[in-house]
Amino acid sequence: MHIRDIKRKAFISTVLTVPVVLYSESLQDILGFTAPDFPGSEWVAPVLASVVFFYGGVFFLRGAVSEIKARKPGMMTLIGVAISVAFLYSLSTLIFGGKEFFWELTTLIVVMLWGHWIEMKSVLGASRALEELVRLMPTRANLIRDGDVVEVPVSDLKPGDTVLVKPGEKVPADGVIVEGSSHLNEAMLTGESKPVPKKKGDRVIGGSVNMEGSIKVRVERTGEETYLNQVLKLVKEAQESKTRLQDMADRVAFYLTVVAITVGGTAFVVWMLLKGDVRFAVERAVTVMVIACPHALGLAIPLVVAFSTSYSARKGILVRNRLALERVKDVDAVVFDKTGTLTEGKFGVSEVFTKGMEEDDLIRYTASLERNSEHVIAQAIVEEAKRRGLNISEAEDFRAVPGKGVVGTVEGRRVAVGTPVLMEQEGAELQEDVLKRAEDLESAGRTVIFVAVDGKVRGCIALSDRVRPESYEAVRELRNMGKRVVMITGDSEEVARAVAKELNIDEFFARVLPHEKAERVRRLQEKGLKVAMVGDGINDAPALVQADVGVAIGSGTDVAVESADIILVKNDPRDVVAVMKLSELTVKKMVQNLFWATGYNVVTIPLAAGVAVPWGVVLKPAVGAIFMSLSTVIVAFNAMLMRRQLWSR
Ligand code: AMP
């Protein structure tokens, strides 16, 4: 039923309840006042209460019928039974005499309806988090057709189309930039807070915002295939899949229903025997059933799941398997694949050693020469020069010496870059200290090249797969959380040792071929450790599957990684820490919610049954309904607080 219908039912029932309350004999007796009399005024309460019962209460009666049909008696059954008992009893007083019950029936229905409305609103809030994701996708696109720009609905786009994305507009589909460059804001999609610079040939994600320049994008994926839709699908699947705690909540709800009916029935019998007052006995039974409603229980887990999955999705943390999310906080060891995960996965300059020349000058001469080479070493050095903001000049007489290096003239000086053999050919002597330094660096897993200027060796440059700056923090935090951090790599022992030392990781496996990684994970598990494996979803797939929790990292827009339980879109190892925290908070919230949804019953069920009547404490059904609704509100609110607790970092 639509939330607006519930609100209308709640509102109209509330209005009708006012005269019912005023013309209720039993209430008039208690308060000692008389409502204005008119012919037929004795019919006000019964007639209007019947209207409320059939108009407002029918919502619960229908729910009860479908619960019973599905053989899953629960909240709706309890409410349905409670209001039916109250209604039939009150009707019977019209014939047989006795005190009616109409005002309590109507207030009960009113409180229940409003409670339901609040609940639906909060559930809607959770699904709104999902809707916000949907809304990131624009509806119209500027299609370039025969050189003209035409506006078309996004649904008309096909792979291969070219679209124009102007500054301030959203990218309409996943694709590749074919013209222009810009910065794109992907914050809402991947959680990458800084706008990402993009140029020709770079991939763009549908839904990201073009910040400045106009770009032309060749569409690659549309509709269901796009990153955003894949994310939505994953989030929906995760929200629908059941978890251990959800199963528990369902079981508790069932038992609570049984308890409610048993205690309610017993309370009726006992009070009949003690007091012989039908009205009083019915009231107690009804209150018990209302208060014990496992209403909040139905929401306790799904709301937490809804918030945790949809908010994390927007930070680029995608949960495929919810059980794995609940498990990941308990892992003992986190195994990282080195290359591309802890390190950047590409060559970079890590050390520069100079002799009789400024570092920047050495890099400048080298880069000016290397700009003409295609070698990975050359590219890394040119990049380093750019990073340092150095002016690269034109080289003359450039020549590549295969397998040895490059030579040429830069700013009128003869420069040679490469192996010791090349240095020898150039007649440049390798001094003791430079050699010693180079050997040290090589034994630490670096690749070292020498640089000679005008026939003199001026130093050496060490290159390696550079450690990501974020890796230090990730490893440190995981260790602080008491996790064993293990590194696994196909690289040589020296390289592995160097990176492990740098990152303060004390366990590593080197020279592990891709298919052996799963075996290493299994061996850790045989030692009794629960293992999370972090790696890419392709080469490391078997290891991800073998691990207790498989985390695919840096998947970018390809989020259909079947092998992983959790997918990290960004290539930031700190997100592994975020996943652990998400796991901890999610489980904590679920447990808290289970408590708030059931714990109060320990006190309120006996109270409702009338245990405290000798001390003058009598709970009215409507008060019971308020208690029950309150627990629902607390549960919903507690789940909503997650958002702040999660991303306050
Ligand atoms: P290659 O077989 O092309 O990988 O080259 C073997 C070795 O020659 C490398 O390990 C470097 O020491 C050196 N070398 C080759 N090309 C270059 C270059 N463009 N710049 C510096 N050193 C190079």
Side-chain angles (χ1 to χ4, degrees):
M1 198 175 282
H2 203 275
I3 184 160
R4 267 206 316 270
D5 298 329
I6 295 284
K7 193 181 177 186
R8 185 166 358 97
K9 277 190 192 292
F11 183 77
I12 293 176
S13 301
T14 309
V15 172
L16 293 176
T17 294
V18 175
V20 174
V21 170
L22 290 179
Y23 281 92
S24 199
E25 265 175 52
S26 48
L27 197 71
Q28 291 187 9
D29 285 353
I30 299 170
L31 299 179
F33 91 111
T34 2
D37 243 346
F38 58 87
S41 61
E42 71 272 22
W43 288 102
V44 169
V47 169
L48 292 184
S50 304
V51 173
V52 171
F53 178 76
F54 286 110
Y55 172 72
V58 77
F59 171 70
F60 302 105
L61 297 176
R62 279 203 205 114
V65 169
S66 50
E67 273 186 3
I68 290 166
K69 267 193 193 149
R71 289 166 197 262
K72 275 194 188 136
M75 172 195 98
M76 288 292 187
T77 312
L78 281 176
I79 302 177
V81 170
I83 60 176
S84 302
V85 167
F87 180 65
L88 293 177
Y89 164 75
S90 300
L91 276 190
S92 73
T93 61
L94 295 177
I95 303 163
F96 304 111
K99 279 188 181 159
E100 45 71 26
F101 207 64
F102 288 119
W103 74 273
E104 295 194 300
L105 169 69
T106 54
T107 47
L108 176 61
I109 293 175
V110 163
V111 173
M112 289 289 190
L113 284 171
W114 284 119
H116 227 80
W117 177 69
I118 294 176
E119 170 200 322
M120 282 178 107
K121 264 185 88 96
S122 53
V123 171
L124 222 63
S127 58
R128 200 171 297 139
L130 251 190
E131 265 171 41
E132 277 172 34
L133 271 175
V134 182
R135 239 180 280 133
L136 290 178
M137 207 47 131
T139 52
R140 308 199 65 83
N142 309 313
L143 177 67
I144 302 176
R145 195 188 281 153
D146 309 325
D148 289 331
V149 176
V150 276
E151 209 188 89
V152 296
V154 165
S155 53
D156 283 6
L157 292 180
K158 285 181 296 298
D161 283 347
T162 305
V163 289
L164 174 72
V165 188
K166 289 182 243 172
E169 286 183 347
K170 281 180 182 168
V171 178
D174 295 359
V176 174
I177 299 185
V178 288
E179 200 183 308
S181 63
S182 181
H183 280 75
L184 273 90
N185 185 347
E186 296 177 349
M188 295 295 280
L189 290 156
T190 65
E192 181 62 67
S193 53
K194 286 190 293 281
V196 191
K198 301 258 180 175
K199 55 181 193 308
K200 192 178 164 188
D202 285 344
R203 276 174 191 285
V204 291
I205 313 175
S208 55
V209 183
N210 181 13
M211 307 288 282
E212 40 195 46
S214 273
I215 48 173
K216 284 184 188 164
V217 174
R218 193 182 61 239
V219 175
E220 291 203 320
R221 289 186 295 197
T222 58
E224 292 287 296
E225 312 267 277
T226 58
Y227 169 76
L228 196 58
N229 273 306
Q230 300 266 3
V231 169
L232 279 170
K233 208 173 108 209
L234 279 181
V235 171
K236 267 198 205 126
E237 275 170 16
Q239 294 189 348
E240 278 158 16
S241 68
K242 286 226 164 178
T243 70
R244 213 163 28 92
L245 282 167
Q246 179 67 67
D247 286 343
M248 192 174 117
D250 289 348
R251 266 204 312 279
V252 173
F254 174 75
Y255 289 127
L256 209 54
T257 308
V258 174
V259 167
I261 291 175
T262 318
V263 177
T266 313
F268 176 80
V269 172
V270 169
W271 283 114
M272 279 305 284
L273 292 175
L274 285 177
K275 261 184 120 169
D277 179 344
V278 191
R279 184 184 190 282
F280 189 82
V282 169
E283 197 181 281
R284 297 286 69 73
V286 167
T287 312
V288 168
M289 284 192 261
V290 167
I291 233 168
C293 256
H295 199 195
L297 208 49
L299 285 177
I301 307 294
L303 270 186
V304 173
V305 170
F307 280 107
S308 96
T309 48
S310 43
Y311 286 129
S312 55
R314 286 202 271 164
K315 298 286 172 181
I317 298 174
L318 303 173
V319 177
R320 275 179 59 92
N321 177 344
R322 265 173 52 194
L323 280 172
L325 179 68
E326 287 173 31
R327 244 187 347 247
V328 71
K329 70 178 180 50
D330 297 321
V331 302
D332 309 295
V334 182
V335 180
F336 281 98
D337 173 55
K338 178 186 79 80
T339 311
T341 304
L342 290 174
T343 65
E344 281 167 356
K346 61 172 203 232
F347 247 16
V349 171
S350 56
E351 276 97 7
V352 182
F353 178 74
T354 61
K355 203 173 155 64
M357 183 178 268
E358 288 294 311
E359 240 183 66
D360 280 357
D361 289 335
L362 187 85
I363 298 283
R364 197 180 75 242
Y365 284 130
T366 313
S368 301
L369 205 55
E370 295 285 22
R371 195 170 54 166
N372 303 288
S373 165
E374 293 285 303
H375 206 278
V376 280
I377 293 177
Q379 287 171 8
I381 291 172
V382 172
E383 203 154 289
E384 177 69 13
K386 281 194 191 146
R387 201 179 63 83
R388 293 181 182 220
L390 303 177
N391 278 325
I392 303 177
S393 30
E394 286 290 335
E396 290 152 40
D397 312 324
F398 171 82
R399 190 165 54 90
V401 188
K404 289 177 189 157
V406 289
V407 290
T409 307
V410 179
E411 296 168 20
R413 306 176 79 168
R414 174 148 181 101
V415 182
V417 183
T419 58
V421 177
L422 185 74
M423 296 297 111
E424 207 175 295
Q425 282 180 4
E426 285 288 302
E429 191 201 340
L430 279 167
Q431 298 96 327
E432 204 48 33
D433 52 347
V434 184
L435 261 180
K436 171 84 180 61
R437 182 73 195 177
E439 272 164 18
D440 286 350
L441 287 166
E442 266 174 353
S443 65
R446 308 285 198 267
T447 298
V448 181
I449 52 154
F450 298 90
V451 183
V453 179
D454 287 338
K456 277 206 169 64
V457 172
R458 289 302 183 187
C460 62
I461 299 173
L463 302 106
S464 67
D465 183 4
R466 254 186 310 203
V467 170
R468 284 178 192 283
E470 302 89 7
S471 300
Y472 298 94
E473 192 185 325
V475 172
R476 193 173 54 237
E477 288 218 23
L478 286 172
R479 290 181 68 130
N480 284 345
M481 291 168 107
K483 310 287 177 199
R484 247 163 104 168
V485 181
V486 181
M487 189 179 82
I488 202 162
T489 178
D491 268 354
S492 68
E493 187 82 14
E494 292 82 48
V495 174
R497 187 181 306 280
V499 174
K501 188 160 165 248
E502 170 109 22
L503 280 171
N504 204 10
I505 294 175
D506 35 37
E507 243 178 303
F508 65 87
F509 304 121
R511 289 204 186 288
V512 182
L513 296 173
H515 67 273
E516 294 168 345
K517 286 181 184 169
E519 173 62 24
R520 295 293 174 146
V521 169
R522 199 169 57 79
R523 266 192 249 164
L524 283 172
Q525 288 170 320
E526 276 166 5
K527 285 190 204 161
L529 299 175
K530 282 211 197 67
V531 179
M533 168 81 204
V534 186
D536 76 50
I538 304 150
N539 298 311
D540 302 331
L544 295 189
V545 173
Q546 173 67 42
D548 296 277
V549 180
V551 182
I553 193 166
S555 72
T557 56
D558 293 315
V559 292
V561 191
E562 296 280 338
S563 53
D565 300 306
I566 294 166
I567 297 163
L568 305 178
V569 174
K570 282 176 292 171
N571 216 336
D572 185 341
R574 287 177 304 181
D575 279 348
V576 176
V577 181
V579 164
M580 299 268 178
K581 291 191 172 155
L582 177 71
S583 169
E584 257 168 29
L585 186 64
T586 304
V587 174
K588 196 170 92 190
K589 285 279 168 185
M590 286 179 177
V591 172
Q592 279 175 356
N593 270 2
L594 285 181
F595 171 78
W596 282 117
T598 54
Y600 75 108
N601 283 305
V602 175
V603 180
T604 51
I605 290 181
L607 275 186
V611 170
V613 169
W615 298 276
V617 179
V618 186
L619 282 191
K620 292 275 173 196
V623 175
I626 289 174
F627 268 117
M628 192 210 69
S629 299
L630 201 63
S631 95
T632 309
V633 173
I634 291 175
V635 160
F637 189 68
N638 190 35
M640 262 186 266
L641 281 181
M642 271 191 93
R643 181 185 197 165
R644 202 159 357 117
Q645 287 160 328
L646 263 182
W647 309 117
S648 56
R649 300 183 294 129

